[in-house]
Amino acid sequence: MKLKKQVTVCGAAIFCVAVFSLYLMLDRVQHDPARHQSGGNFPRSQISVLQNRIEQLEQLLEENHEIISHIKDSVLELTAHAEGQPVLPHHTPNGSWVLPPESRPSFLSVSPQDCQFALGGKGQSPDLQMLAVYSLLPFDNQDGGVWKQGFDITYEPNEWDAEPLQVFVVPHSHNDPGWIKTFDKYYYDQTQHILNSMVLKMQEDPRRRFIWSEISFFSKWWDNISAQKRAVVRRLVGNGQLEMVTGGWVMPDEANSHYFAMIDQLIEGHQWLEKNIGVTPRSGWAVDPFGHSSTMPYLLKRSNLTGMLIQRVHYAIKKHFAATQNLEFMWRQTWDTDSSTDIFCHMMPFYSYDVPHTCGPDPKICCQFDFKRLPGGRINCPWKVPPRAITDANVAERAQLLLDQYRKKSRLYRSKVLLVPLGDDFRYDKPQEWDAQFLNYQRIFDFLNSQPNLHVQAQFGTLSDYFDALYKKVGIVPGMKPPGFPVLSGDFFSYADREDHYWTGYYTSRPFYKSLDRVLEAHLRGAEILFSLALAHARRAGADGTYPLSDYALLSNARRNLGLFQHHDAITGTAKEAVAIDYGVRLLHSLMNLKHIIINAAHYLVLGDKDTYHHDPAAPFLSTDDTRPSQDSLPERTVVKVDISPRFLVVFNPLEQERLSVVQVLVNSPHVRVLSEEGQPLPAQLSAHWGSDTDTVPDVYQVSVLARLPALGLRVLQLHKSFEGHATLQSSVRLYLPGLNLPMRRQEPVPVHVLPAGTEDICLENQHLRACFSGRSGLLQSIRRAGEEREQRVSSEFLVYGTRASKDKSGAYLFLPDGEAKPYAPSDLPVVRVTEGPLFSEVTSYYQHVQTVVRLYNVPGVEGLSLDVSCLVDIRDQINTELALRFSTDIESEDTFFTDLNGFQIQPRRYQRKLPLQANFYPMPTMAYIQDMQSRLTLHTAQALGVSSLGSGQLEVILDRRLIQDDNRGLGQGLKDNKQTRNRFRILLERRTTTSQAQDGRPISFPSLLSHITSMYLNAEALVMPVAQDKLAPPALRSFTPLSTTLPCDFHILNLRMLQAEDESLPSAEAALILHRKGFDCSLEAKNLGFNCTTSQGKLALGSLFQGLELGSVQPTSLTLMYPLGTASNSTNIHLDPMEIATFRIRLG
């Protein structure tokens, strides 16, 4: 009775707060000028002002009505709880499962100000919008003469009389950290010789210049050279002869890489440079990624770089930009209204970054000025005219020929400053090549500079020498917008280098490793955060002497292995088979190390008495959740042996929001119950563990338990052997066999009903949605949301693409299909298995090449609002086959769909009928969606894959590709090393409200908050770590809750990364806290979402965020910590604008 009274009082109090807040809102409508501005300028007439007031009142009433209804639900739940309802799930007479009501209210109200962002600001439109450029261009590929993909360039001889042409020739060597050879083999065979020659040859003439970008190679070389050589390098950097460009660990792929890893490899490179050479990069250099993402300019700008260069862009766009002198532009983010994200970008105009395609439009002439190709060498010019060494006798004629190319190239740009790269893959590896290039070019420069009538000044330069000269010429500070230069927004996918050769295959190539990459990334983020917290707590307790600081070296190594894999021949799946194995071994090695770092940190943090902490590397306190026998195998989950004495589990939630999730554990007995650390029984579901379509694995069972996990925290659970009937609720299984003669193993504890293949639809239902499947195929057919009459058709099917019969065929890079996809037609009908239970139900269908599981969680909140989909793909017996999964719906999306860039932002796409099918595929690192006025369907993914929408209402994703031949881009192999690969997705269907209609024409879109959080659930799974078997009487364990307040829903802790001490194998006292405030769209329905967070207009109090720890100092810095922004203040309250990523140097302890 007493509890009921408390609940009533609590409900009444909440109601009063709501009414009072309504009063305040009304009050604000009358006084808040900001509200008036956001609605535009109204005519002064009283009526329109009044009308506006009424509309705002209606909106506020509706918001308040929603809050009140949430409160009602919550109070009802609380009351139901108070009246002693059973805590465990129970069956109702009509056969459906009822879960215990949530014991705490969850109602989400986003403040209206936080909804304004997605509606867009009043900023100027960019001059160049890439979506519009695509619509405009004919893509007709006309023959342009010597510049085959361009046009004939002409100039007037006196054009430079008033202002001479300033030419910067930039020597470079493009070093792939793995491609045809492994990283180490390239280093020993080539890279070390390039860098050693560089030190030698740059000292011979102070006019020589060189640029370098890959710090992965540079740091390996640095570790192997003398102090004397290091001093020379520092001097060469100091006097401007050697420039470190971009300065990342690698030159990352921009299609498949996730923004966490892109930033991490940039920090790793920048921190290395700062510590070892004391230099901060100023200019970005990306000559080889296969298409360019607009995430990169944002990251470079926030790292304080002032200029950047890109090369691999569709040849038709290069031609168009060259014709309109738009090859140099300020690149701006789509959401930016005040130009704060602008960065100056130079696009190279021609086919390649090699010497024949960089001096000017005619490769036949440019090749004659690549002096590595002098007769007698190992490489020559395909155009049959070799270079000639420069002598006094021929210098005038040779220089004139080269100057003509320089002038023609210069006509494509707006300024009289010209950039001419001079290099190629792994160039300058022998002293002879340095001499051939530098001596011959210096003779040409000396001649050109001695002829005033030529009006040219030519010299060697670095990339920043070029940018600085350009800024000086146009009279602006580096980083500002040069007058008359265009502003561009959008990205440069998808890339074609010639004809209809679209590089859209690599969005899916080797999906096994694309998936492993993301598993490693999630573990790295989890390990960074948990290690930082454990170390801070240990230091605060004076116990850092007993904590394994050696874990930091493993953490550092994992950062570098993940960084290495972001390279544009690694995550892309475009390296030789042996190189892919080398990457795989590195990823697996680091994954295992990270699991141990997480275990060590979790062990310390859950101990009730920290003084009893003892780190024993030979006998870890916790076991890992799963193991991988080799780099190319799928994970095998750990089986926990239950006993009469309790087995403890420690569950780690890597999300910064508390989550209510179904946690799964394999056990060796069906007689098991799960308790909280306090000994309260938790809802759990027992299922068989299936080894094949019809066989269960003997003596292994899956227990699924519903647990509330603290944000970034650790929850302790107990497993007990129990012979009580109600301890764990069993799943029921129906197995539909196409031919009834298949053998079957039955295991008593989990009943299995075997039935002939069905024609009836199969439907699964929870409190949020109902999903129906075809009885014959076992594939999804429709989804109906609770409270809606109409089913939404969401039918799925598998399709197969072949490749062309003649000429060029698909390979690791290219997608060249033989027409539209054909239906996947397996020889046999599938075995379909339906599992139903209180916490989840699922439909599994077994086909010859793919096994799909679609699961519906019967859980309140985020977990139950989307469908969990997993596809186990194995196409190792196929030839030239690409397997696709297509969803078809009634959504009237027409030709528009949306894909994410790097998990950071959304880019609207348009299906272009004028382009071939393969041109309409785009990268999908985390999500893609289609929408109309009523609905949005989002496909969330846990691994990067290629995606498209080839028809209205469709979304399709390429799951795997097996190709027998090379596609002539230098790899020299097909893709034949396919593995059994598990692709994981979530399907989220949301209802759109009317406010969204105005946005649909704009080149900008955002996921909803629910969509963001769903993506996080999919990508940051909870880790379940059993306390090791031999710990018979484990010490008292306590759940660990690191955050003292709930973070706003739109804030994401991207990383909490301990910085290295002077000894680079040890952590310092400082950490980098990297926060991202996500942009989100409020126009998607947000009822009963089960979040218990809200939004805060970007404000966050960091000082009180971490429970039991003090924040010593907070210093805002540039993204990679190279530059302090403002002074370190005692105030720990920060503010972030939507979409911004901010880094803070902090001391925790």
Side-chain angles (χ1 to χ4, degrees):
M1 193 59 204
K2 195 175 175 191
L3 185 56
K4 193 169 182 184
K5 218 178 240 173
Q6 285 174 347
V7 168
T8 313
V9 171
C10 167
I14 296 173
F15 185 76
C16 293
V17 169
V19 173
F20 184 61
S21 68
L22 177 61
Y23 171 73
L24 287 177
M25 282 173 175
L26 295 178
D27 198 45
R28 210 177 62 212
V29 169
Q30 290 162 355
H31 302 300
D32 186 357
R35 276 194 176 262
H36 295 241
Q37 288 162 4
S38 68
N41 301 324
F42 321 123
R44 293 264 166 98
S45 77
Q46 289 300 305
I47 294 174
S48 77
V49 172
L50 204 60
Q51 202 175 348
N52 240 290
R53 288 263 172 90
I54 291 167
E55 277 174 16
Q56 289 180 346
L57 269 173
E58 280 174 349
Q59 188 190 345
L60 289 168
L61 276 166
E62 196 172 311
E63 280 171 18
N64 221 61
H65 178 71
E66 225 170 81
I67 295 174
I68 300 272
S69 75
H70 285 312
I71 292 170
K72 259 191 195 156
D73 291 351
S74 304
V75 171
L76 282 172
E77 285 182 2
L78 277 171
T79 317
H81 223 62
E83 288 175 4
Q85 286 216 339
V87 179
L88 293 172
H90 60 283
H91 243 119
T92 58
N94 70 0
S96 63
W97 286 97
V98 175
L99 272 171
E102 267 290 75
S103 61
R104 58 180 83 183
S106 56
F107 51 90
L108 164 75
S109 137
V110 173
S111 85
Q113 299 102 296
D114 286 333
C115 294
Q116 286 303 311
F117 176 72
L119 301 173
K122 303 280 184 287
Q124 281 171 293
S125 297
D127 308 293
L128 302 166
Q129 208 323 302
M130 287 311 299
L131 212 52
V133 171
Y134 258 82
S135 302
L136 180 82
L137 295 186
F139 293 96
D140 51 0
N141 193 22
Q142 293 182 353
D143 191 328
V146 291
W147 175 18
K148 205 165 167 39
Q149 297 170 327
F151 46 84
D152 203 24
I153 306 171
T154 56
Y155 61 85
E156 299 299 323
N158 60 356
E159 264 183 60
W160 292 272
D161 288 5
E163 198 183 344
L165 181 65
Q166 205 176 348
V167 181
F168 288 91
V169 172
V170 179
H172 69 99
S173 178
H174 179 66
N175 284 239
D176 289 305
W179 180 37
I180 304 301
K181 303 177 184 177
T182 64
F183 173 77
D184 285 339
K185 187 105 174 75
Y186 270 139
Y187 174 78
Y188 290 116
D189 291 357
Q190 280 141 299
T191 306
Q192 62 169 337
H193 304 302
I194 296 167
L195 291 168
N196 286 331
S197 313
M198 183 265 301
V199 172
L200 208 64
K201 289 294 173 182
M202 295 287 276
Q203 294 180 83
E204 291 179 5
D205 186 338
R207 295 172 296 180
R208 294 182 178 179
R209 299 286 182 273
F210 196 62
I211 61 170
W212 188 267
S213 77
E214 299 81 9
I215 304 304
S216 48
F217 274 130
F218 202 86
S219 66
K220 187 176 173 72
W221 173 69
W222 187 264
D223 290 343
N224 288 300
I225 61 173
S226 64
Q228 192 183 358
K229 230 181 207 177
R230 290 178 180 182
V232 174
V233 172
R234 289 191 187 104
R235 191 170 73 243
L236 290 171
V237 169
N239 69 16
Q241 281 186 266
L242 170 64
E243 183 183 15
M244 309 308 279
V245 285
T246 313
W249 201 244
V250 296
M251 183 186 291
D253 170 43
E254 298 181 23
N256 303 291
S257 50
H258 189 263
Y259 77 124
F260 173 95
M262 290 170 84
I263 293 170
D264 207 62
Q265 65 85 31
L266 203 56
I267 292 176
E268 196 58 34
H270 285 185
Q271 291 288 295
W272 188 92
L273 284 171
E274 186 178 48
K275 189 169 183 293
N276 293 283
I277 304 182
V279 64
T280 55
R282 295 174 48 210
S283 305
W285 172 263
V287 290
D288 204 23
F290 325 140
H292 292 280
S293 161
S294 46
T295 303
M296 208 62 200
Y298 176 78
L299 301 181
L300 297 180
K301 171 75 174 186
R302 291 291 175 257
S303 303
N304 266 21
L305 277 73
T306 52
M308 63 182 292
L309 170 146
I310 60 176
Q311 148 61 20
R312 289 194 186 268
V313 171
H314 194 299
Y315 61 86
I317 291 172
K318 286 189 173 215
K319 176 181 176 175
H320 173 65
F321 280 10
T324 50
Q325 286 194 327
N326 284 333
L327 289 164
E328 289 182 321
F329 48 84
M330 296 305 285
W331 198 344
R332 178 176 299 171
Q333 298 305 312
T334 48
W335 69 82
D336 179 11
T337 54
D338 65 359
S339 74
S340 71
T341 60
D342 288 18
I343 184 170
F344 185 81
C345 181
H346 170 102
M347 183 190 291
M348 292 168 59
F350 306 123
Y351 173 74
S352 165
Y353 55 83
D354 62 7
V355 184
H357 296 95
T358 45
C359 90
D362 190 344
K364 182 177 179 178
I365 293 172
C366 291
C367 196
Q368 299 170 45
F369 294 90
D370 181 357
F371 296 103
K372 185 185 168 95
R373 302 181 197 241
L374 283 165
R378 272 199 293 181
I379 53 167
N380 52 26
C381 284
W383 296 270
K384 304 287 189 286
V385 184
R388 304 212 296 267
I390 305 300
T391 63
D392 290 345
N394 70 10
V395 67
E397 174 262 327
R398 302 311 287 167
Q400 197 69 55
L401 185 62
L402 184 57
L403 178 60
D404 176 60
Q405 289 299 305
Y406 286 171
R407 284 173 170 174
K408 284 175 174 166
K409 182 177 181 179
S410 167
R411 289 286 293 117
L412 307 179
Y413 292 90
R414 292 176 187 235
S415 86
K416 297 279 171 32
V417 186
L418 181 66
L419 173 67
V420 181
L422 180 71
D424 202 344
D425 292 4
F426 294 97
R427 282 301 189 89
Y428 300 98
D429 61 341
K430 294 189 171 62
Q432 298 86 306
E433 185 186 350
W434 285 84
D435 292 342
Q437 303 286 30
F438 281 92
L439 296 173
N440 282 301
Y441 267 97
Q442 195 59 58
R443 288 178 194 128
I444 293 172
F445 297 161
D446 290 345
F447 175 80
L448 290 173
N449 298 343
S450 69
Q451 306 288 314
N453 59 321
L454 294 179
H455 302 285
V456 63
Q457 169 71 42
Q459 63 204 75
F460 292 116
T462 62
L463 183 57
S464 292
D465 287 339
Y466 166 73
F467 283 136
D468 288 345
L470 186 143
Y471 296 137
K472 190 173 172 188
K473 190 82 102 176
V474 296
I476 57 150
V477 179
M480 300 304 290
K481 178 181 182 295
F485 280 65
V487 172
L488 173 144
S489 78
D491 70 334
F492 297 100
F493 291 118
S494 286
Y495 168 61
D497 58 348
R498 54 180 188 251
E499 295 153 40
D500 58 356
H501 294 189
Y502 283 84
W503 296 44
T504 51
Y506 83 95
Y507 301 156
T508 292
S509 297
R510 295 197 170 111
F512 179 89
Y513 294 108
K514 285 176 163 67
S515 172
L516 183 56
D517 161 77
R518 289 278 273 281
V519 172
L520 181 65
E521 178 183 301
H523 277 77
L524 177 60
R525 179 179 166 275
E528 295 273 17
I529 292 171
L530 223 46
F531 177 81
S532 300
L533 292 172
L535 189 55
H537 279 281
R539 282 174 171 164
R540 193 170 170 85
D544 43 336
T546 58
Y547 195 81
L549 296 179
S550 56
D551 278 359
Y552 188 74
L554 302 178
L555 202 52
S556 185
N557 187 251
R559 293 168 180 170
R560 293 176 173 192
N561 280 336
L562 181 69
L564 185 70
F565 197 68
Q566 304 315 303
H567 162 56
H568 56 262
D569 289 304
I571 192 171
T572 52
T574 56
K576 290 262 193 206
E577 286 177 18
V579 180
I581 291 168
D582 182 64
Y583 288 134
V585 168
R586 289 169 185 268
L587 295 178
L588 178 65
H589 177 75
S590 284
L591 180 60
M592 290 311 157
N593 284 340
L594 291 172
K595 283 183 185 291
H596 286 292
I597 293 168
I598 290 170
I599 280 170
N600 291 338
H603 175 195
Y604 181 78
L605 292 168
V606 296
L607 277 182
D609 178 2
K610 303 276 190 273
D611 295 341
T612 62
Y613 178 75
H614 170 63
H615 169 63
D616 180 357
F621 182 73
L622 299 166
S623 313
T624 55
D625 53 330
D626 60 26
T627 53
R628 292 178 184 244
S630 67
Q631 57 88 22
D632 59 354
S633 52
L634 289 168
E636 296 173 6
R637 286 162 57 201
T638 305
V639 179
V640 180
K641 295 184 169 53
V642 287
D643 215 324
I644 304 300
S645 57
R647 284 296 305 270
F648 288 89
L649 302 176
V650 176
V651 186
F652 173 42
N653 170 22
L655 294 189
E656 59 280 283
Q657 296 295 344
E658 179 182 78
R659 76 207 260 183
L660 183 67
S661 275
V662 174
V663 173
Q664 298 184 327
V665 196
L666 293 184
V667 292
N668 67 337
S669 162
H671 308 294
V672 65
R673 63 194 184 119
V674 188
L675 307 177
S676 67
E677 67 186 290
E678 301 82 11
Q680 291 297 312
L682 293 173
Q685 172 176 336
L686 184 77
S687 334
H689 184 54
W690 292 84
S692 70
D693 50 0
T694 57
D695 283 357
T696 56
V697 179
D699 303 324
V700 180
Y701 303 88
Q702 178 167 286
V703 174
S704 305
V705 57
L706 182 60
R708 188 174 280 286
L709 307 175
L712 293 177
L714 299 156
R715 173 94 194 259
V716 178
L717 304 176
Q718 321 180 28
L719 291 180
H720 286 253
K721 200 161 196 167
S722 163
F723 292 93
E724 289 171 33
H726 297 292
T728 306
L729 295 145
Q730 292 173 350
S731 316
S732 66
V733 178
R734 302 198 304 280
L735 196 63
Y736 295 97
L737 303 184
L740 269 177
N741 52 359
L742 285 171
M744 256 298 302
R745 289 180 64 109
R746 269 192 194 68
Q747 231 176 342
E748 266 320 292
V750 180
V752 176
H753 306 284
V754 182
L755 304 160
T759 47
E760 305 270 300
D761 277 3
I762 301 157
C763 294
L764 308 178
E765 194 165 1
N766 69 9
Q767 68 205 70
H768 303 296
L769 30 109
R770 171 183 161 95
C772 293
F773 301 77
S774 150
R776 280 180 69 77
S777 71
L779 299 179
L780 182 64
Q781 295 300 306
S782 67
I783 298 174
R784 193 180 84 214
R785 296 160 41 100
E788 285 182 13
E789 291 299 305
R790 209 173 62 84
E791 283 193 332
Q792 171 70 264
R793 180 170 75 97
V794 183
S795 64
S796 57
E797 59 183 318
F798 291 106
L799 302 161
V800 174
Y801 287 97
T803 189
R804 296 179 179 178
S806 59
K807 280 185 58 187
D808 297 288
K809 294 179 166 60
S810 299
Y813 303 89
L814 306 183
F815 179 32
L816 294 169
D818 57 353
E820 292 187 4
K822 297 168 185 61
Y824 167 63
S827 45
D828 301 313
L829 278 170
V831 170
V832 177
R833 184 173 69 237
V834 182
T835 304
E836 289 184 283
L839 297 183
F840 72 85
S841 299
E842 66 185 17
V843 175
T844 307
S845 36
Y846 287 85
Y847 288 91
Q848 190 183 346
H849 300 99
V850 57
Q851 169 198 334
T852 62
V853 185
V854 181
R855 175 179 288 195
L856 181 62
Y857 285 104
N858 186 19
V859 173
V862 179
E863 197 87 278
L865 284 158
S866 55
L867 286 173
D868 192 86
V869 179
S870 115
C871 295
L872 186 62
V873 177
D874 189 348
I875 55 169
R876 287 176 291 187
D877 63 350
Q878 296 293 289
I879 287 177
N880 283 335
T881 297
E882 310 205 18
L883 185 67
L885 170 60
R886 178 183 292 169
F887 295 96
S888 303
T889 72
D890 301 326
I891 294 173
E892 292 168 11
S893 57
E894 296 175 344
D895 59 358
T896 302
F897 59 109
F898 302 81
T899 67
D900 75 294
L901 288 168
N902 317 102
F904 174 60
Q905 57 181 321
I906 299 293
Q907 177 64 49
R909 306 289 183 194
R910 208 160 285 141
Y911 175 74
Q912 299 284 357
R913 279 176 183 72
K914 62 188 170 189
L915 293 179
L917 181 145
Q918 65 270 21
N920 287 292
F921 275 81
Y922 291 94
M924 174 182 63
T926 63
M927 71 176 81
Y929 53 83
I930 51 172
Q931 63 186 26
D932 60 15
M933 289 306 181
Q934 280 75 45
S935 311
R936 175 184 289 183
L937 181 84
T938 307
L939 177 67
H940 287 279
T941 178
Q943 59 288 307
L945 295 167
V947 75
S948 188
S949 171
L950 300 175
S952 183
Q954 289 183 5
L955 260 186
E956 76 177 70
V957 55
I958 308 283
L959 299 173
D960 198 2
R961 42 204 320 261
R962 181 173 169 83
L963 301 157
I964 302 310
Q965 61 287 315
D966 179 48
D967 51 7
N968 301 310
R969 290 305 182 277
L971 180 60
Q973 289 185 342
L975 278 179
K976 295 182 287 194
D977 56 351
N978 303 67
K979 328 266 178 241
Q980 199 179 28
T981 301
R982 177 167 280 115
N983 291 317
R984 294 174 45 245
F985 308 101
R986 280 266 170 123
I987 296 172
L988 176 64
L989 180 65
E990 295 174 285
R991 185 163 48 218
R992 296 183 83 203
T993 54
T994 45
T995 50
S996 51
Q997 300 175 5
Q999 298 164 246
D1000 287 2
R1002 296 172 47 244
I1004 180 166
S1005 185
F1006 298 96
S1008 65
L1009 271 179
L1010 172 61
S1011 189
H1012 279 305
I1013 293 180
T1014 302
S1015 180
M1016 307 274 283
Y1017 269 55
L1018 177 61
N1019 282 283
E1021 290 186 296
L1023 294 183
V1024 184
M1025 298 166 283
V1027 173
Q1029 181 79 41
D1030 52 7
K1031 309 279 186 269
L1032 287 173
L1037 303 182
R1038 273 198 215 117
S1039 293
F1040 168 67
T1041 306
L1043 302 184
S1044 50
T1045 52
T1046 303
L1047 221 61
C1049 296
D1050 53 348
F1051 270 76
H1052 173 45
I1053 298 181
L1054 197 59
N1055 210 343
L1056 177 59
R1057 187 185 206 262
M1058 289 303 299
L1059 300 175
Q1060 57 175 230
E1062 271 310 299
D1063 173 353
E1064 66 173 44
S1065 66
L1066 292 174
S1068 71
E1070 292 185 316
L1073 174 65
I1074 309 176
L1075 298 174
H1076 175 205
R1077 184 178 170 206
K1078 301 196 167 189
F1080 61 91
D1081 183 344
C1082 295
S1083 71
L1084 293 115
E1085 189 199 43
K1087 283 198 183 79
N1088 309 318
L1089 296 183
F1091 312 164
N1092 44 6
C1093 56
T1094 179
T1095 59
S1096 61
Q1097 294 85 64
K1099 297 187 202 63
L1100 180 62
L1102 283 181
S1104 56
L1105 188 59
F1106 296 101
Q1107 197 161 288
L1109 292 174
E1110 276 174 31
L1111 216 51
S1113 64
V1114 177
Q1115 167 69 65
T1117 70
S1118 59
L1119 183 62
T1120 58
L1121 300 112
M1122 303 287 264
Y1123 300 88
L1125 304 176
T1127 51
S1129 71
N1130 292 336
S1131 165
T1132 55
N1133 294 337
I1134 60 152
H1135 174 267
L1136 273 190
D1137 285 327
M1139 291 304 293
E1140 290 295 347
I1141 301 174
T1143 302
F1144 302 89
R1145 193 187 281 268
I1146 64 170
R1147 277 175 187 265
L1148 263 185

